Amino acid sequence: MMKAPQVEQKTSSGYAIIKGSCRPEEQCYLLQFDGLSEPNPGTSTGGAVLFSPGARSLVFEVGKFIEYGTNNQAEYTGLLIGLKAALEKGVREILIEGDSQLVIFQTEGKWKVKNEALQVMNREARELISHFDFAAIRHIYRDKNQHADRITNEVLLRGEGYYQEASTKPHLPTGKNDTLL
């Protein structure tokens, strides 16, 4: 007997639901992540930004500097540091967006993870997601991911990571705090 294909659950805006049942999207936090490697492989950075439910105001932004890595490792790093920081803030319901189809579709479970280093990172991402009550994910294009992209470029220029809450300074970060990294 053949197994019926699994029906993919989606939200009204096209997020693939990873955990929990569908919530009104406006009640969920929004995490956007990005990664950068120059050259690839080479010096890399990961970045993430969290927006509040409803008005989508900035909650935090976080970036991590990586001495050497691939672009895909940098993208996963952005997702991982964003998920960790969101959990530390007590976020329970989250929408996740990124411009890396590879990371999005592997995290969603659509694509297999063949690379060993990425397998470790994917397992960690899925473990972190398991701590949320609700989590959904979707691919977005780079032009919709400008804030996270700016973070990765800023970290590359600085040569070090940072964590910055919106209440401390709502725009370009200047403080240095690597406690989450």
Side-chain angles (χ1 to χ4, degrees), residues 4-53:
Q6 184 176 350
V7 177
E8 186 177 293
Q9 286 190 309
K10 296 225 178 219
T11 68
S12 61
S13 294
Y15 290 91
I17 298 172
I18 298 174
K19 181 171 183 214
S21 56
C22 195
R23 302 273 202 271
E25 293 172 19
E26 61 274 0
Q27 295 177 7
C28 297
Y29 284 83
L30 173 62
L31 176 71
Q32 293 183 327
F33 70 91
D34 197 21
L36 170 69
S37 186
E38 287 189 8
N40 184 22
T43 304
S44 302
T45 65
V49 59
L50 185 73
F51 298 101
S52 68

Side-chain angles (χ1 to χ4, degrees), residues 85-119:
L87 286 168
E88 287 186 16
K89 293 292 289 178
V91 172
R92 303 304 309 154
E93 298 176 337
I94 195 163
L95 301 172
I96 304 163
E97 295 179 341
D99 59 28
S100 169
Q101 278 189 327
L102 180 109
V103 172
I104 295 292
F105 292 158
Q106 287 180 343
T107 303
E108 185 181 331
K110 254 185 182 177
W111 289 1
K112 289 183 180 181
V113 186
K114 297 177 184 175
N115 178 282
E116 285 184 42
L118 298 185
Q119 286 174 353

Side-chain angles (χ1 to χ4, degrees), residues 158-170:
R158 288 172 173 229
E160 62 185 352
Y162 70 88
Y163 174 82
Q164 187 73 45
E165 292 196 21
S167 59
T168 309
K169 186 170 182 174

